[in-house]
Each structure stands twice: as C-alpha cells, then as structure tokens.
Amino acid sequence: MLAWLRLARVFQKVDRASAAHLRRWYLSVAQFDVLAHVGPAEGCTQQELADRLLVTKGNVTQLLDKLELRGLIVRCQEGRTNCLYLTPAGRQLYAEVVPAHEAFIDERLSVLSPAEQGQLLALLRKLDHAVDE
C-alpha cells in the first residue's frame, strides 16, 4: 500500500507541474493529450482517439468541442464516423508545444538514467496491464 501511495504522490506532482507548464499555451493536460495523439494520427476517428487517450477527465466529445471552438481541430464526417484533423493553427501549436513539453518532462525525469527510465516504463506498462485484469 505504501508503494501505491508513493506512486500516486509522484504522479500527482508530475501532473501538477505538467498542468502549470501547459498553461502558457492555454492547454489542459487532457487537451495536450488530444493534440499529441491527433497530430501524428490525423484522420483517426473519435473512437480511436478515445481508446488511445491517456488522460480523460470527463467527456471526450466535450474535450473535442473545446479544441474545435479554439480552432485547433476539425471533425469531418466520413461515412458514419467523425474523423479528426488538426487545423493549420492546431498543427502550428502541435509543432511548438509537443517538443517543448516532452523536453520539460524529460528534464523532470533526468534524475533517472536512460536505463532506469526504460525500466520504469516497463514496470508501469506491466502494472497498467495487471490493474486492468
């Protein structure tokens, strides 16, 4: 139980720092998650995105509505599904914020060696699958 509480505390700190960093672009962590996934997978469906998102605080449709209102994404009806694309403004923001935020997080994790970071990711993947069962 103590390990779970420590993990929760560490991730809470990372989440707070991440949220504060993303505020300079007027993005929430969940909005960043959408941009980070739609950017390289433009044309994905709303359901595909929902399945990939790591941070879903609330309704995915409402999250997309907010990004669409900001002019960052567009939903195009293709058959019976909505496909998601970045607008030119969304592509520009994606190109700016994703590398900057990755560098920010890498800096926070720099206390770990590359091997330790790999081990951490492997352990988190393993825990993630174990918790799903």
Side-chain angles (χ1 to χ4, degrees), residues 21 51-53 61 67 75 88 97 111 122 128:
H21 183 253
D51 292 342
R52 291 183 194 144
L53 289 178
T61 300
L67 290 169
R75 290 179 267 201
V97 73
V111 298
D128 192 30

Side-chain angles (χ1 to χ4, degrees), residues 6-91:
R6 293 198 66 162
L7 273 173
R9 182 178 174 146
V10 167
F11 290 119
Q12 186 179 52
K13 286 180 178 181
V14 171
D15 187 51
R16 276 194 218 125
S18 185
H21 183 253
L22 290 169
R23 274 190 221 115
R24 77 173 57 164
W25 292 279
Y26 305 101
L27 290 172
S28 69
V29 174
Q31 290 169 334
F32 172 81
D33 196 12
V34 170
L35 283 180
H37 281 87
V38 173
E42 287 199 73
C44 69
T45 68
Q46 189 167 321
Q47 186 58 54
E48 289 169 337
L49 175 69
D51 292 342
R52 291 183 194 144
L53 289 178
L54 301 174
V55 180
T56 52
K57 295 179 181 176
N59 185 305
V60 173
T61 300
Q62 290 173 346
L63 183 60
L64 295 175
D65 288 346
K66 289 179 182 179
L67 290 169
E68 197 166 38
L69 280 172
R70 284 188 59 189
L72 299 174
I73 65 162
V74 63
R75 290 179 267 201
C76 296
Q77 190 74 26
E78 294 181 11
R80 301 179 83 192
T81 60
N82 280 329
C83 292
L84 306 167
Y85 298 91
L86 295 179
T87 64
R91 276 193 225 52

